[in-house]
């Protein structure tokens, strides 16, 4: 096809950022829901004593609520990073073939600003075709967020182990943990079976 003034890169780069902005909003919503659940968990566990650990070994006592408060604090910093990065990230590009507004004449900046306003974005200060630092910043922030989520997940996984038993994943009624191993569905049942077997042996 033939078009006048903008290049395919202007269109695709700005279009990609429109889609990315939708994903950004979804991430923030999901983090918000997670923070609300964590706040409730922190309150319920405010006086729930448990071992604090350093290098995986018992250190001094903490509460489960204190542990969750640390997770909340870290996630809040990621929300702050995402919000601070948004004005740098969501910028509309309309600079023409080499980003110089050449095909728009003297109205180039005004046209770019009007298009950006229509899309709810800011115009690029200099619409370079090779800009990428804003996308790299977003990837770094998402990497930090993933690292935090992975850390929390690993900690919950560890504390759920039978040997620790300090936290427990909620199991909705009717959920089957394992069709073969009843102890995974009901740890109490497993303990009863072991106790009954010990009685039989004695």
């Amino acid at each position: 096809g033939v078009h006048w003034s903008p290049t395919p890169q202007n269109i695709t780069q700005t279009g990609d950022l429109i889609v990315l902005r939708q994903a950004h909003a979804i991430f923030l919503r999901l983090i918000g829901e997670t923070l609300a659940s964590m706040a409730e968990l922190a309150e319920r566990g405010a006086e729930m004593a448990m071992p604090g650990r350093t290098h995986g070994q018992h250190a001094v006592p903490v509460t489960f609520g204190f542990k969750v408060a640390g997770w909340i604090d870290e996630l809040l910093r990621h929300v702050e990073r995402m919000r601070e990065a948004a004005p740098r990230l969501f910028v509309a590009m309309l600079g023409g073939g080499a980003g110089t507004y050449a095909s728009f004449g003297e109205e180039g900046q005004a046209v770019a600003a009007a298009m950006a306003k229509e899309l709810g974005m800011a115009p690029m200060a200099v619409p370079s075709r090779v800009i990428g630092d804003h996308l790299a910043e977003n990837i770094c922030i998402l990497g930090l967020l993933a690292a935090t989520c992975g850390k929390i997940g690993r900690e919950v996984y560890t504390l759920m182990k039978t040997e620790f038993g300090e936290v427990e994943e909620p199991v909705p009624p009717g959920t089957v943990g394992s069709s073969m191993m009843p102890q995974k569905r009901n740890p109490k049942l497993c303990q009863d079976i072991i106790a009954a077997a010990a009685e039989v042996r004695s």
Side-chain angles (χ1 to χ4, degrees):
V2 177
H3 50 84
W4 183 258
S5 299
T7 69
Q9 183 171 354
N10 290 166
I11 296 164
T12 57
Q13 185 168 340
T14 303
D16 287 345
L17 287 171
I18 290 171
V19 174
L20 189 60
R21 185 172 59 180
Q22 293 170 344
H24 193 82
I26 292 169
F27 277 127
L28 287 171
R29 178 177 54 78
L30 291 173
I31 295 170
E33 291 171 4
T34 301
L35 285 167
S37 296
M38 283 184 172
E40 183 183 335
L41 197 58
E43 284 186 16
R44 282 194 286 132
E47 297 184 19
M48 194 180 298
M50 66 182 297
R53 292 181 174 86
T54 57
H55 298 289
Q57 306 299 306
H58 283 198
V60 295
V62 298
T63 67
F64 185 66
F66 176 76
K67 183 184 289 289
V68 176
W71 300 342
I72 291 170
D73 188 45
E74 195 166 334
L75 282 175
L76 284 172
R77 286 194 295 277
H78 294 323
V79 170
E80 190 177 345
R81 289 181 183 104
M82 292 176 77
R83 287 183 173 155
E84 287 175 351
R88 292 188 294 273
L89 178 60
F90 302 118
V91 287
M93 179 180 180
L94 187 68
T100 61
Y101 307 116
S103 54
F104 296 101
E106 293 182 2
E107 301 299 318
Q109 285 185 315
V111 172
M115 184 205 68
K117 184 177 180 182
E118 182 71 23
L119 297 174
M121 295 180 169
M124 282 187 174
V126 180
S128 168
R129 293 170 56 88
V130 294
I131 187 173
D133 63 285
H134 61 321
L135 296 172
E137 180 182 13
N138 186 58
I139 290 167
C140 289
I141 293 170
L142 293 179
L144 290 168
L145 176 61
T148 295
C149 293
K151 178 185 74 174
I152 294 169
R154 280 193 309 276
E155 184 155 15
V156 171
Y157 178 85
T158 298
L159 296 179
M160 278 179 55
K161 286 183 177 182
T162 308
E163 294 84 353
F164 294 96
E166 292 177 16
V167 301
E168 187 176 288
E169 186 180 20
V171 181
T175 302
V176 176
S178 171
S179 59
M180 182 180 145
M181 294 174 280
Q183 73 273 19
K184 290 183 73 177
R185 289 195 310 250
N186 187 340
K188 175 75 169 67
L189 174 61
C190 179
Q191 293 167 358
D192 292 345
I193 292 169
I194 291 170
E199 277 184 36
V200 169
R201 277 196 226 98
S202 61

